[in-house]
Amino acid sequence: MKSNEPIPSLRAPDEAANILLSGKPVDPARIGRRLARQVACFRALFENLTDGVAVLDLDGCIVDVNHSFERLFGYSAQELRRARIDACIVPEDLRDEAETLSERLASACTVELDTERRRKDGARLPVRVRAFPILLDGRQAASYAVYADLTEAQRATLQMSWQATHDGLTGAFNRAEFERRLEALLNLGGAAHAMLYLDLDQFRVVNDIGGHRAGDELLRRLAALIDAELGEDDLLARLGGDQFGILLRNCDRGAAQRVARRLIQVISSFRFIWERRTYGVGASIGIVALDHDCVTLPDVFAAAGAACWSAKQQGGNRVRVYRRDDREISRHRDEMSWVSRLGTALEENRFVLYHQTISPLKGTGDARWYEILLRLRGESGTIITPGNFIPAAERYHLMPALDRWVVREVLTGLRRQLDLRQTRGRGEIVAINISGESVSEAPFATFVREQFERFKVPPSMICFEITETAAIANLNQAVAFITEMRKLGCAISLDDFGSGLSSFTWLKTLHVDYLKIDGAFVRNMADDAVDCAMVETIDRVGKIMGIKTVAEYVEARGVLDKLRELGVDFAQGYDIHVPEPWQWSAVHA
């Protein structure tokens, strides 16, 4: 409760105030026309307030309520007049709280608290109550209480909480929550537990022939199919792409093998029909026991992934159990390691920069703005997207090296661009993604500062993008990095905003210029009212804080129209610009 706020007072003439507090119709014959107009204006304002308002006498009895109060609690004004407010809308278990509120009001204090109240039909309603005394000539004559409905806010919070721990496509847990729970089991020790690493076979066939919509629908159905085969204490998560992780609690190797074989049988028997085509898929499963051979998250994932890879290499649709002395699994574990491949790619300068336009939705904008995207040219010359190598780079702590390469390459290209155009760089803003690991390293900020000094590129041309989860996980370091970059003159964008429950809590701590709304909310917002409400809420918070908003994953015209309607500032996605090689990169020069 808050009780030290300034006390509002009603400064209308005593007669007008008494008429207002009585709730009776205005009689022009009794009072002058001017006074009648004032009272009518006050009355109209009172009735049209969005929040429910009740006027109370000094005994806590209801003098009058507005239309919003009637709608909120289901009572008519006639039913409520002269009734005690605590007897009408305060649940039995909250009577002590209501008495405290009344006592504070009686001592001319204001009160604000989030609580629950009871509707006429008995339903409990989450509300924010703000109560104020009404003073006439320095003396308290009455009070009024304002009730704001928190139902939608609570629903949005629950949705944010769900999004923070679940995969938006399949409804299974996401990788971050899976790792959190897996680490908790590793720290707990004692009972036998197992992890299954499941990778679908022939999934790419469905994606290539049926398209991504078919692939997404197949993943949704298979996730439901797998979950139905698991026990109540087991946990299913989508680790990324067509890979799933399964935690089997209180389960030894033998029992884990039986579960895995049953899953193989169920998945291989499933037939997926899409646009008159029938598809069949299989699965390869690696099993690792959470014992003394695997005591850390990297150990478990490496072992389970190696066992799964071994099963796939043997033809797929089979189960493989990890054992420390299994030479074949060790060989596959080495083969699947990206460490040497990424190191070689850096040495041979086989990384490639692409770019994607970020388009203003209001007017033409003052500068051309685009995001730099990293790609890898494989040994055969094929272009590999970051989803294939970034997870490995993060796991083996190679991201700082990749981030340094990108910063150096971008500033090299911009220097070349500035030399050719002979401008000061006012017409270009380039967004560069920075990993959480780089943000948490103090030497990285020093490196960035040195590169600006070396290439003489105006820092105002650069906007660094940091994911929300990375910023919150390394909060102190993120604040330090953001502060340092803003001092240089760079802009800061908070990427994937809305993916974590604590988004709004930490936003005031992270002084950023742009919010990139998580694409999980944007992609289907034209057809999903909840996603649309989330985008609108994030945009509204950004506007209040003076932060511009960017919607990611804009892939349909209906989404773009909806974003314009909501007032989002910028949009980015395939419907606006398909990523293409960045011509100013030295690699393309």
Side-chain angles (χ1 to χ4, degrees):
M1 292 187 180
K2 299 177 181 178
S3 59
N4 295 318
E5 299 179 2
I7 300 173
S9 62
L10 184 63
R11 299 184 181 275
D14 288 349
E15 186 176 4
N18 291 331
I19 293 172
L20 282 172
L21 295 176
S22 72
K24 296 178 181 178
V26 178
D27 182 3
R30 268 189 66 204
I31 59 177
R33 291 181 180 178
R34 182 176 179 182
L35 184 58
R37 284 197 300 270
Q38 290 179 349
V39 174
C41 288
F42 276 116
R43 188 74 200 177
L45 175 63
F46 175 72
E47 292 294 357
N48 286 287
L49 289 172
T50 303
D51 292 336
V53 182
V55 181
L56 312 173
D57 63 18
L58 294 177
D59 296 322
C61 293
I62 298 174
V63 175
D64 198 7
V65 297
N66 65 355
H67 293 320
S68 294
F69 190 97
E70 293 176 302
R71 288 192 297 269
L72 196 59
F73 293 103
Y75 291 96
S76 68
Q78 190 63 35
E79 291 177 283
L80 292 171
R81 285 196 178 99
R82 310 315 308 165
R84 286 191 60 84
I85 194 164
D86 55 359
C88 298
I89 66 170
V90 178
E92 292 289 339
D93 57 318
L94 295 177
R95 290 292 172 85
D96 290 344
E97 171 198 278
E99 288 181 10
T100 302
L101 186 149
S102 299
E103 291 171 0
R104 289 183 177 274
L105 277 174
S107 59
C109 295
T110 63
V111 179
E112 179 179 332
L113 74 156
D114 291 350
T115 183
E116 288 184 335
R117 290 295 180 258
R118 183 183 60 210
R119 288 175 46 84
K120 183 179 180 180
D121 59 12
R124 294 172 77 103
L125 186 71
V127 294
R128 173 164 295 153
V129 183
R130 289 169 292 163
F132 307 87
I134 298 176
L135 303 181
L136 294 175
D137 295 330
R139 298 174 60 187
Q140 184 171 346
S143 61
Y144 67 97
V146 182
Y147 297 85
D149 187 358
L150 297 182
T151 303
E152 289 302 318
Q154 286 193 356
R155 184 178 292 118
T157 299
L158 288 174
Q159 180 69 12
M160 294 281 281
S161 176
W162 190 90
Q163 291 282 356
T165 57
H166 289 75
D167 172 55
L169 176 64
T170 64
F173 286 100
N174 59 24
R175 186 185 185 103
E177 182 65 11
F178 184 83
E179 289 182 351
R180 189 185 71 79
R181 298 198 182 194
L182 172 57
E183 191 160 32
L185 280 182
L186 290 171
N187 293 334
L188 190 63
H193 310 290
M195 173 188 165
L196 274 56
Y197 192 105
L198 186 153
D199 191 352
L200 296 177
D201 301 328
Q202 293 90 45
F203 175 75
R204 179 170 292 182
V205 174
V206 181
N207 250 352
D208 291 345
I209 298 177
H212 289 294
R213 287 180 57 228
D216 288 349
E217 181 60 26
L218 175 58
L219 288 174
R220 276 191 286 266
R221 295 189 191 181
L222 285 177
L225 199 67
I226 295 169
D227 194 51
E229 296 295 322
L230 302 179
E232 289 185 3
D233 293 334
D234 302 329
L235 185 147
L236 171 68
R238 184 183 177 207
L239 302 179
D242 59 341
Q243 291 92 38
F244 292 87
I246 301 169
L247 275 183
L248 302 176
R249 297 184 180 89
N250 303 310
C251 183
D252 58 24
R253 279 192 179 92
Q257 284 181 273
R258 290 191 289 274
V259 172
R261 291 193 185 102
R262 186 169 71 248
L263 291 176
I264 292 287
Q265 183 178 3
V266 168
I267 293 171
S268 60
S269 301
F270 177 70
R271 291 295 175 266
F272 177 62
I273 301 174
W274 183 266
E275 295 180 347
R276 300 183 181 180
R277 286 180 178 267
T278 301
Y279 301 90
V281 294
S284 300
I285 299 179
I287 301 175
V288 60
L290 307 186
D291 54 21
H292 59 277
D293 285 341
C294 295
V295 295
T296 67
L297 273 177
D299 288 342
V300 174
F301 271 93
C308 178
W309 185 260
S310 177
K312 190 176 285 287
Q313 290 296 100
Q314 290 177 355
N317 221 36
R318 65 187 64 212
V319 176
R320 192 67 187 261
V321 179
Y322 172 81
R323 290 182 175 83
R324 191 174 186 179
D325 57 354
D326 191 319
R327 293 183 179 179
E328 186 177 354
I329 288 182
S330 297
R331 179 173 61 84
H332 286 303
R333 184 175 179 176
D334 293 336
E335 288 176 355
M336 66 183 295
S337 172
W338 275 91
V339 175
S340 60
R341 292 182 64 186
L342 293 177
T344 302
L346 279 170
E347 292 174 1
E348 296 175 356
N349 206 32
R350 283 193 285 106
F351 286 97
V352 183
L353 296 183
Y354 276 52
H355 75 286
Q356 185 177 44
T357 297
I358 300 173
S359 179
L361 298 181
K362 303 173 183 178
T364 59
D366 297 326
R368 180 172 177 243
W369 185 15
Y370 52 85
E371 179 182 355
I372 293 294
L373 306 171
L374 185 63
R375 303 288 188 264
L376 171 63
R377 184 181 291 113
E379 291 84 352
S380 63
T382 58
I383 298 298
I384 303 172
T385 56
N388 292 286
F389 60 86
I390 290 296
E394 291 175 337
R395 191 178 309 126
Y396 294 104
H397 310 292
L398 295 175
M399 284 308 302
L402 294 183
D403 289 341
R404 281 172 165 78
W405 185 90
V406 171
V407 170
R408 192 183 301 112
E409 186 72 10
V410 169
L411 294 185
T412 299
L414 290 178
R415 181 66 265 163
R416 182 169 176 268
Q417 173 186 344
L418 292 170
D419 290 341
L420 290 174
R421 294 183 177 181
Q422 295 183 344
T423 67
R424 295 187 178 181
R426 292 176 180 173
E428 207 98 17
I429 299 177
V430 182
I432 302 175
N433 289 280
I434 302 299
S435 68
E437 190 170 359
S438 292
V439 168
S440 64
E441 290 184 354
F444 184 77
T446 303
F447 165 80
V448 172
R449 188 167 55 251
E450 290 172 351
Q451 298 307 303
F452 277 120
E453 293 172 358
R454 174 186 173 187
F455 291 101
K456 308 300 181 186
V457 171
S460 58
M461 294 184 69
I462 301 298
C463 175
F464 287 113
E465 290 193 7
I466 306 169
T467 64
E468 175 202 348
T469 50
I472 294 173
N474 309 280
L475 186 62
N476 292 334
Q477 296 92 330
V479 170
F481 178 81
I482 290 171
T483 302
E484 180 72 8
M485 293 302 103
R486 287 173 66 99
K487 284 181 180 177
L488 285 176
C490 301
I492 300 294
S493 179
L494 200 56
D495 202 5
D496 295 338
F497 185 81
S499 59
L501 173 62
S502 53
S503 300
F504 296 109
T505 303
W506 296 114
L507 188 56
K508 290 185 287 187
T509 305
L510 300 167
H511 301 292
V512 299
D513 303 282
Y514 302 96
L515 289 182
K516 297 193 78 172
I517 304 171
D518 195 337
F521 301 129
V522 176
R523 184 183 284 116
N524 300 314
M525 63 176 289
D527 302 311
D528 189 315
V530 174
D531 285 348
C532 186
M534 297 299 291
V535 172
E536 183 178 17
T537 300
I538 293 171
D539 180 70
R540 188 181 303 165
V541 170
K543 294 289 192 299
I544 292 172
M545 300 185 70
I547 303 172
K548 292 187 180 297
T549 51
V550 183
E552 300 176 295
Y553 290 92
V554 178
E555 300 174 350
R557 181 61 56 181
V559 171
L560 197 59
D561 293 338
K562 197 68 179 176
L563 291 169
R564 285 197 176 99
E565 179 183 330
L566 294 179
V568 175
D569 298 299
F570 298 87
Q572 178 182 3
Y574 276 58
D575 188 54
I576 297 169
H577 179 218
V578 177
E580 59 183 318
W582 187 49
Q583 64 173 325
W584 296 106
S585 172
V587 174
H588 300 292

